[in-house]
């Protein structure tokens, strides 16, 4: 029995290796398939330099906060926030009001300030960096054509219409192919530039495509002549009092930062990014990101003139509430409520039960009690 099992395993590995070499996909794409929280240690990455001087939030005793754990599948229940977080397989959770940590939860099996993967929240780092690059004159406008900066994108008529704004707001019409997704996760990112296809004209429909932010990352690297992680670190991350080890996935074959994901930071440092946006790009009296860029990126109407609850990689709440949030694939969140002066950061494991939860209502309820 055991020898047959061993033989089957060997046959499987031989098949995987043969298939990976006989196709266009990188080998890792067959092994790992779907990203998970282990990716931050599993794959090659680079260090994102933090600030020389650490900004410390004041630590207050945990406030008693209660939430309703309600979905269409579950009966209404009212429970302490800590119990809710345990039920939802939370790794780290931090509530900050007026620069004081009023509630903090950490999975006891984990180090409090180790870098945690945030998946698509990474796109907000790219969005912020694009705003800086425009302010510094590397890019004229988000309405510029992408091919003006990446001239090799000339083999499809849709490139004559594709703007940075389309990429930024997920209206590019670019097809999310398995090959390109595998390359951006595990292979040579540069190969994506040769393999862009379209499902529609730019601006015709909204479709969330990771390749959009891979292209934005490559574009920022091209115009600034710096890797995405270096440019972000120099202009934003080191300017906001970050303290802890931070990493970003890196393609060491074609030498590019994996811009659409693979960023990992500590809860308290991610809260500082939220604080920066809550204060409209200002950090302790100094402008880090153009305030007009931050206002536009977090307003209800995006750069393409549409009110769809999504703007420049941020998810936008109702205008009368004024809140917004950055979200990763496993419900990692940086929630910002400027009216309450509250920033909330949550890092969760994969958990199907938390997907249907009404997160806007949950976060607002927490902000009310902070």
């Amino acid at each position: 029995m055991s020898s047959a099992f061993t033989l089957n395993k060997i046959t499987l590995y031989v098949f995987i290796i043969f298939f990976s070499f006989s196709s266009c996909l990188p080998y890792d794409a067959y092994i790992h398939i779907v990203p998970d929280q282990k990716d931050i240690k599993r794959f090659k990455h680079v260090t994102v330099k933090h600030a020389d001087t650490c900004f410390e939030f004041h630590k207050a005793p945990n406030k008693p906060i209660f939430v309703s754990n309600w979905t269409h599948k579950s009966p209404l229940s009212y429970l302490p926030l800590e119990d809710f977080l345990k039920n939802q397989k939370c790794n780290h959770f931090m509530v900050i009001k007026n620069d004081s940590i009023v509630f903090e939860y950490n999975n006891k099996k984990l180090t409090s300030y180790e870098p945690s993967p945030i998946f698509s929240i990474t796109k907000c780092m790219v969005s912020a960096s694009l705003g800086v690059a425009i302010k510094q004159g590397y890019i004229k406008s988000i309405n510029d054509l992408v091919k003006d900066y990446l001239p090799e994108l000339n083999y499809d008529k849709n490139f004559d219409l594709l703007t940075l704004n389309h990429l930024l707001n997920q209206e590019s019409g670019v097809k999310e192919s398995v090959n390109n997704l595998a390359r951006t996760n595990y292979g040579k990112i540069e190969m994506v530039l040769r393999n862009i296809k379209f499902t529609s004209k730019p601006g015709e429909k909204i479709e969330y495509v990771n390749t959009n932010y891979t292209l934005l990352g490559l574009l920022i690297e091209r115009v600034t002549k710096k890797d995405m992680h270096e440019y972000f670190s120099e202009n934003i991350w080191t300017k906001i009092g970050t303290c802890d080890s931070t990493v970003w996935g890196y393609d060491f074959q074609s030498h590019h930062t994996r811009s659409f994901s693979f960023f990992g930071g500590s809860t308290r440092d991610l809260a500082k990014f939220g604080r920066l946006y809550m204060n409209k790009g200002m950090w302790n009296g100094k402008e880090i990101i153009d305030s007009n860029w931050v206002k536009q990126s977090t307003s209800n109407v995006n750069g393409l003139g549409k009110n769809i609850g999504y703007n420049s990689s941020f998810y936008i709440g109702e205008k009368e509430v004024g809140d917004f949030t950055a979200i990763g694939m496993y419900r990692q969140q940086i929630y910002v409520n400027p009216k309450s002066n509250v920033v909330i950061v949550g890092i969760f494991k994969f958990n199907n039960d938390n997907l249907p939860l009404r997160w806007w209502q949950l976060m607002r309820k927490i902000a009310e009690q902070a």
Side-chain angles (χ1 to χ4, degrees), residues 174-189:
V174 168
K175 180 181 179 181
E176 186 78 293
S177 71
V178 174
N179 281 359
N180 279 346
L181 199 54
R183 290 176 186 119
T184 54
N185 274 285
Y186 313 112
K188 292 183 179 180
I189 294 175

Side-chain angles (χ1 to χ4, degrees), residues 11-215:
T11 303
L12 176 63
Y13 287 140
V14 168
F15 171 77
I16 290 172
I17 292 169
F18 170 77
F19 189 61
S20 64
F21 276 106
S22 61
S23 74
C24 297
L25 298 184
Y27 168 74
D28 282 337
Y30 299 101
I31 298 299
H32 304 298
I33 304 175
V34 178
D36 62 33
Q37 52 262 39
K38 295 179 182 178
D39 283 2
I40 201 165
K41 296 179 180 177
R42 182 182 287 144
F43 298 113
K44 293 178 179 178
H45 56 256
V46 288
T47 298
V48 181
K49 187 180 184 301
H50 58 70
D52 293 330
T53 303
C54 177
F55 173 84
E56 295 279 9
F57 293 109
H58 171 69
K59 182 70 174 80
N62 271 7
K63 276 194 172 184
I65 296 175
F66 294 83
V67 295
S68 298
N69 182 20
W70 187 91
T71 72
H72 64 283
K73 295 181 179 179
S74 307
L76 180 67
S77 60
Y78 198 59
L79 67 167
L81 179 55
E82 184 169 349
D83 292 347
F84 166 79
L85 296 172
K86 288 177 182 176
N87 293 343
Q88 297 304 322
K89 300 181 180 179
C90 181
N91 284 339
H92 306 287
F93 199 87
M94 183 177 285
V95 182
I96 295 167
K97 182 180 177 70
N98 299 330
D99 286 344
S100 290
I101 300 171
V102 297
F103 183 92
E104 185 174 12
Y105 170 86
N106 292 295
N107 184 325
K108 293 178 181 178
K109 297 178 181 179
L110 301 172
T111 304
S112 298
Y113 298 130
E114 67 180 359
S116 297
I118 58 172
F119 300 101
S120 281
I121 293 178
T122 306
K123 294 180 176 68
C124 295
M125 280 57 177
V126 176
S127 174
S129 300
L130 179 61
V132 173
I134 292 172
K135 181 72 172 180
Q136 292 179 346
Y138 290 109
I139 297 165
K140 293 179 182 177
S141 164
I142 56 171
N143 296 313
D144 288 350
L145 293 174
V146 176
K147 70 174 188 177
D148 289 347
Y149 302 96
L150 299 172
E152 59 267 52
L153 298 180
N154 59 6
Y155 49 86
D156 189 297
K157 62 182 181 181
N158 285 302
F159 289 127
D160 294 334
L161 304 172
L162 182 66
T163 67
L164 279 69
N165 211 343
H166 291 130
L167 298 178
L168 187 66
N169 286 296
Q170 301 289 3
E171 291 195 34
S172 66
V174 168
K175 180 181 179 181
E176 186 78 293
S177 71
V178 174
N179 281 359
N180 279 346
L181 199 54
R183 290 176 186 119
T184 54
N185 274 285
Y186 313 112
K188 292 183 179 180
I189 294 175
E190 223 165 60
M191 290 182 68
V192 172
L193 291 170
R194 309 175 209 163
N195 294 280
I196 299 295
K197 295 181 180 179
F198 291 82
T199 59
S200 62
K201 289 182 180 179
E204 273 192 351
K205 65 177 183 178
I206 300 160
E207 187 173 1
Y208 193 95
V209 174
N210 286 310
T211 301
N212 289 335
Y213 275 75
T214 295
L215 290 175

